[in-house]
Amino acid sequence: MRISRSILTILGTGTALALAGCNEALVPDYNTLTGFPHSASSLQTEMTGVFNGLRAADAFNMATEMDAFARSAAYFTPSEARFVTEETGEAQLDNDNFGAGIWANPFTAIKSADTVIAILPTLTASSGSPYPTANVQALEGVMETSKAFDYMYVALSHDTNGVAMNNPGGAITGKLAPILCARDSWAEIVAMLDTAKAELDAAGAGTGLTLPGSGFTLQMPPGYAALGGTAGGFEALTLALRGRARIEYAYAIARGPGGTAPTASTAGAPDQAQLDSAIADIQASSLYSSNLSAGEAVAANDLGVFMSFSGAAGDISNPIFGVSSGVYVLEGAAQQIDTLNDQRFLAKFAIASSAPTSAGANAASRYAYLNNIGLSTPVPMVRNIELQFLLARAYLGTGQLLKAAQTVDAVRTTVGGLASGLGGVNTSSYTSVRDFLMREMLPSLMEDGTGDQITAIRDYGLIMQDLTTWGAGDFHTSMLNIPATEREQRNNNFAAVCP
């Protein structure tokens, strides 16, 4: 069993820390655990805390910040210009507030997951007997997967700035965890998902997410319904996430020390073994299907796993809904999309009654996020359409250019409702297929909150080509900073390391 601990910004409870706005200050070290009577009766509360750890501020930040970095869409509001000026590269990104989010909450959820993983084997039935090993392993696999997903949020948003991560399984020493480079961060995330899969496999596909005789059966959020209630069902999420993590690891190796990074004109040398394994993982996940449908243009209709929201008392509503009318597609992105006919685009965006007037408004199109968004709209963690593009990216990286183009075109035609685009693609040319993939990913995943567009821009060496909204003065912003408070605690020794 692998237990990763980042002891710099984590809480030892199952309740997520509520943070106001986008500000994420350093959280004290709460490694001396108190307050939880660890038992089967408290397990649901603790595990719910893990599932819900990223639902509020971080789901909002991933959707708005990552698309702004990608120059796909941005939130325009007169009350806060930095959503546009800093996040689209017109001004220097802050090292706190808007420039340093997606930090404290994920580490809080990670610590909560580690806590559950540690106590599960110690729980005993009323008779004093331990619960069946298979059931414990199944629940450990669930929490290990959730922990990896939380780390993925940090890694996707911070890229080469790194992720604070101790050696998995290492004892808590009272020292701050090292900030690992992207290559080593993704290696650890893949390893966590390896562990999660091993635990779920050892439990047995049919083993329920329950502790027999205790009355405990895990109640997952509604957005997890596609996974069912068994170890085998839940493994679909583990495999899908590992498929993505392997792709990011493959490109982090290429972009890291000693690697050959892709450029705007060359494919580079992403790790082939990781990409081959990514293809296998994605296709093995029951969240993947090559049988596409027009309905998948609306994310909530797609096969996948989602963060759930509602307007019910005591619950959290979709954090994007309240500002969605101010989320405008940037003109540079709109020019690459058939805005009149592409059903993927029209599933979210429509012409707004007025153009934005706040800072940076000249970069906006007239299309705002007005369709299929409400208090209860779920936010994807992973869905089938995303898996199509991840599969295409893996095909591209392994030189299977025709397969990559065909996979992308299937989404374009079946889900987008457009004519085939293959006639305009040279399927023997890496750059032609790559550019086709990037164009088609825009309307497919914009504002899903998964960050696929910006991660591909980084991985393919396209930052200086694509992130140029503001011309020669553009800061080419593509990732979040390490928070100022985190830097201070480290005496400003916060550079990511590749040991």
Side-chain angles (χ1 to χ4, degrees), residues 230-253:
T230 63
F234 193 90
E235 191 169 296
L237 177 60
T238 308
L239 288 167
L241 295 179
R242 193 172 68 172
R244 183 175 190 183
R246 288 190 188 281
I247 293 169
E248 293 306 325
Y249 183 28
Y251 280 94
I253 290 170

Side-chain angles (χ1 to χ4, degrees), residues 7 14 100 129 144 263 265 460 465 468-469:
I7 62 173
S129 301
E144 195 77 27
T263 69
S265 59
Y460 296 148
Q465 172 182 295
T468 56
T469 305

Side-chain angles (χ1 to χ4, degrees), residues 81-105:
R82 289 177 293 179
F83 281 113
V84 176
T85 58
E86 292 192 10
E87 293 177 2
T88 67
E90 184 182 17
Q92 184 76 51
L93 189 66
D94 196 356
N95 63 10
D96 202 355
N97 297 305
F98 286 83
I102 312 183
W103 193 258
N105 282 354

Side-chain angles (χ1 to χ4, degrees), residues 350-367:
I351 294 177
S353 58
S354 61
T357 58
S358 53
N362 58 314
S365 72
R366 285 294 300 274
Y367 289 92

Side-chain angles (χ1 to χ4, degrees), residues 74-140:
Y75 172 38
F76 291 81
T77 173
S79 65
E80 183 47 83
R82 289 177 293 179
F83 281 113
V84 176
T85 58
E86 292 192 10
E87 293 177 2
T88 67
E90 184 182 17
Q92 184 76 51
L93 189 66
D94 196 356
N95 63 10
D96 202 355
N97 297 305
F98 286 83
I102 312 183
W103 193 258
N105 282 354
F107 286 117
T108 301
I110 288 162
K111 181 57 187 179
S112 298
D114 270 344
T115 301
V116 174
I117 291 168
I119 63 98
L120 274 167
T122 71
L123 298 178
T124 58
S126 57
S127 65
S129 301
Y131 290 107
T133 299
N135 297 91
V136 170
Q137 289 173 317
L139 295 171
E140 287 175 335

